[in-house]
Amino acid sequence: MTAASAPPMIRVAGVDKFFGPLHVLKNVQLEVPKGQVVVVLGPSGSGKSTLCRTINRLEPIDSGVIEVDGQPLPAEGKELARLRADVGMVFQSFNLFAHKTIVENVMLAPTKVRKTPAAEARKTAMELLERVGIANQAEKYPAQLSGGQQQRAAIARALAMKPKVMLFDEPTSALDPEMVQEVLDVMTGLAKDGMTMLVVTHEMGFARKAADRVIFMSDGEVVEDSTPEEFFSAPKSNRAKDFLGKILTH
Amino acid sequence: MSVLTNNLPLFLDLFWKTLQLFAVSAVLSLVLGTILAALRVSPVPVFRGIGTGYVTVLRNTPLTLVFVFFVFAYPLLDILKIENYTAAVVALSLYTAAFVCEVVRSGINTVPVGQAEASRALGLTFVQMLGNVVLPQALRSVVPPMTSTMIALLKNTTVASGFAVAQAGNIRDSLSEQGENVLFGLLWVALGFVILVMPLTYVQQVFEKRWSVAR
């Protein structure tokens, strides 16, 4: 199979989703090829977080197709759990397991889902915590860490499953400003290492620096799909111009 | 005092039986109640329906009626013969499980939904998520109401008196047969129950303390 005919890591085609009468995703099309970093931008309520959450079926869709690595999302059950194990996710609110230490957080899924022996899982966990720069916090509980440290632990937890693709749902939106950079640095490192990533964010700097492509969403639609240079210097749509005008002037 | 000292073997024997009836029913109802709570929060609608149906029926039926069913009505079905003692255990366990279920479920609801989402996103199955992430965190808030449910169970064991299952609730019968002072006899029985409940309250305090630290 040549690179061109390989299936994209994520394929979203004709996806619609409603929350009651609210049409939150409107005929969304999106492809993320292997190794690309795609950043999703857009105003609040534009459906970008919902889109991110549909990709591992935390939100079910009403119509359309979502495929991960060429495989359509199965219905809730064992098969979906297997697929989710290959898709890492990082949440806005970290969602670290409050009753487990940081290293236990990272070890849990490998030991339970992959049946990795505990000693090996711990070794891998410590390496990952080293990589995100919080190995010295391994034995603490999540509540004892700063937000930035918690989010880096959450990234390590997702990486412990050796995912094929990582989803980031506004990973820095709940952080104090001085902690945003340490999380973005970890993400930039991942991007450089060739991880396939879909990142919902408001961090324009990250989009410019680390993204291969920028998706702009508004009112549940994908309005633009272009390179960061194109998007930031010459946005095509009025909605994107309006959005950039609001965030870049101050 | 003489009521107690003259009949000490009787008191000890019947309170020991109360304790046994309680212990067996407590274990069974805790296990069944937790399974029912898992059904009630399951993603499968049929399972949720079963859990809800169970709680609706058992929680809304008087305990005496559940006893009557297993002692008198169930034998007519001619499935499997059971002793009155077994019938009492079954009645107490099934009845209490409905309350345990609701206590556990309220505990589950105190755990932020993000914890379950993170588990699912990592590929944990529903059962793994409940067992490793949600229930351990739910336990903390469950301790006080669960203690109340267990105290109620301990006291409910006396309902078995009406169905020829000997335990502390029968002490009065034996005393009046022997012409002892029933008023004082009953006061001693009441004191016996207070003493039995105290360890439960102690266990509650221990768990509350232990689990408040790791938060």
Side-chain angles (χ1 to χ4, degrees):
Chain A
M1 202 186 275
T2 63
S5 68
M9 188 54 80
I10 298 172
R11 190 171 85 91
V12 176
V15 164
D16 282 276
K17 173 161 183 75
F18 295 83
F19 284 130
L22 198 64
H23 199 169
V24 286
L25 293 179
K26 297 174 186 162
N27 190 26
V28 170
Q29 320 282 343
L30 170 69
E31 285 194 3
V32 182
K34 278 193 184 79
Q36 266 203 1
V37 176
V38 174
V39 167
V40 183
L41 301 175
S44 304
S46 59
K48 43 189 202 310
S49 272
T50 307
L51 173 66
C52 188
R53 290 163 56 84
T54 59
I55 290 164
N56 62 1
R57 211 173 185 280
L58 284 182
E59 298 285 357
I61 54 177
D62 293 309
S63 62
V65 182
I66 296 179
E67 289 173 4
V68 175
D69 205 12
Q71 191 196 354
L73 285 189
E76 198 74 44
K78 288 234 155 58
E79 221 185 313
L80 180 62
R82 264 195 297 279
L83 183 137
R84 281 171 174 159
D86 291 332
V87 179
M89 183 151 193
V90 176
F91 299 86
Q92 178 176 358
S93 48
F94 328 136
N95 294 345
L96 290 172
F97 304 133
H99 64 306
K100 290 189 177 292
T101 61
I102 296 303
V103 66
E104 286 169 352
N105 263 274
V106 182
M107 287 167 63
L108 180 72
T111 50
K112 298 295 170 188
V113 179
R114 303 260 195 245
K115 312 293 179 201
T116 311
E120 194 187 325
R122 178 174 285 272
K123 191 169 161 282
T124 315
M126 288 310 296
E127 286 165 10
L128 285 167
L129 291 175
E130 191 71 54
R131 181 170 168 191
V132 299
I134 50 167
N136 54 345
Q137 312 288 331
E139 303 303 331
K140 290 189 184 166
Y141 284 92
Q144 298 169 287
L145 268 59
S146 73
Q149 291 171 329
Q150 286 191 55
Q151 193 60 298
R152 286 187 279 158
I155 294 173
R157 177 176 70 175
L159 289 175
M161 294 298 282
K162 304 188 174 67
K164 300 180 202 169
V165 52
M166 289 277 286
L167 308 173
F168 293 84
D169 183 7
E170 303 205 22
T172 57
S173 299
L175 296 176
D176 291 338
E178 74 270 24
M179 293 169 185
V180 169
Q181 200 51 47
E182 64 191 53
V183 172
L184 291 179
D185 287 345
V186 170
M187 291 167 59
T188 310
L190 275 179
K192 284 213 179 86
D193 291 347
M195 175 64 79
T196 311
M197 293 162 62
L198 182 77
V199 184
V200 173
T201 188
H202 294 289
E203 295 300 325
M204 301 302 144
F206 178 80
R208 270 183 209 273
K209 201 167 80 178
D212 295 301
R213 266 164 61 213
V214 168
I215 304 283
F216 175 72
M217 286 186 74
S218 179
D219 299 321
E221 290 172 295
V222 172
V223 180
E224 300 212 15
D225 181 346
S226 54
T227 63
E229 303 82 64
E230 235 175 70
F231 178 75
F232 287 109
S233 55
K236 289 183 281 268
S237 65
N238 284 333
R239 279 188 279 188
K241 282 176 196 156
D242 185 44
F243 175 73
L244 288 171
K246 275 179 190 149
I247 53 164
L248 295 180
T249 45
H250 58 242
Chain B
M1 194 71 183
S2 68
V3 185
L4 180 66
T5 49
N6 292 345
N7 300 283
L8 198 57
L10 174 81
F11 271 88
L12 289 179
D13 178 47
L14 290 182
F15 264 112
W16 176 237
K17 286 189 168 133
T18 293
L19 212 55
Q20 287 175 320
L21 197 54
F22 164 72
V24 177
S25 309
V27 170
L28 291 178
S29 62
L30 284 170
V31 171
L32 179 60
T34 308
I35 295 171
L36 285 166
L39 290 180
R40 289 207 70 174
V41 298
S42 139
V44 184
V46 179
F47 289 170
R48 284 203 299 273
I50 293 171
T52 311
Y54 182 98
V55 169
T56 308
V57 173
L58 267 295
R59 197 166 61 154
N60 298 358
T61 313
L63 176 58
T64 317
L65 227 59
V66 182
F67 264 90
V68 169
F69 177 83
F70 281 102
V71 174
F72 299 117
Y74 170 80
L76 301 178
L77 296 174
D78 221 10
I79 304 167
L80 179 74
K81 274 204 179 339
I82 55 170
E83 305 270 324
N84 273 18
Y85 180 79
T86 316
V89 168
V90 170
L92 284 168
S93 304
L94 294 186
Y95 176 80
T96 312
F99 293 87
V100 170
C101 166
E102 289 304 90
V103 169
V104 171
R105 193 168 66 95
S106 72
I108 289 172
N109 288 339
T110 64
V111 180
V113 66
Q115 298 283 309
E117 282 188 347
S119 317
R120 289 159 72 204
L122 283 164
L124 269 66
T125 61
F126 177 74
V127 173
Q128 288 174 329
M129 171 195 83
L130 271 188
N132 294 292
V133 177
V134 176
L135 282 180
Q137 296 186 64
L139 277 181
R140 293 166 184 171
S141 53
V142 150
V143 173
M146 191 65 85
T147 308
S148 299
T149 306
M150 288 297 116
I151 290 172
L153 168 63
L154 176 59
K155 298 190 290 186
N156 284 343
T157 54
T158 53
V159 173
S161 307
F163 302 89
V165 177
Q167 30 65 44
N170 297 96
I171 290 176
R172 187 202 62 85
D173 309 350
S174 307
L175 291 180
S176 55
E177 272 168 33
Q178 293 161 32
E180 294 276 10
N181 186 323
V182 172
L183 172 63
F184 284 108
L186 274 180
L187 287 177
W188 283 115
V189 172
L191 184 66
F193 272 100
V194 171
I195 292 170
L196 280 191
V197 168
M198 271 160 44
L200 290 178
T201 322
Y202 177 71
V203 169
Q204 171 183 347
Q205 285 167 355
V206 169
F207 278 133
E208 279 192 80
K209 249 198 203 120
R210 178 189 298 176
W211 285 330
S212 67
V213 182
R215 206 183 287 250

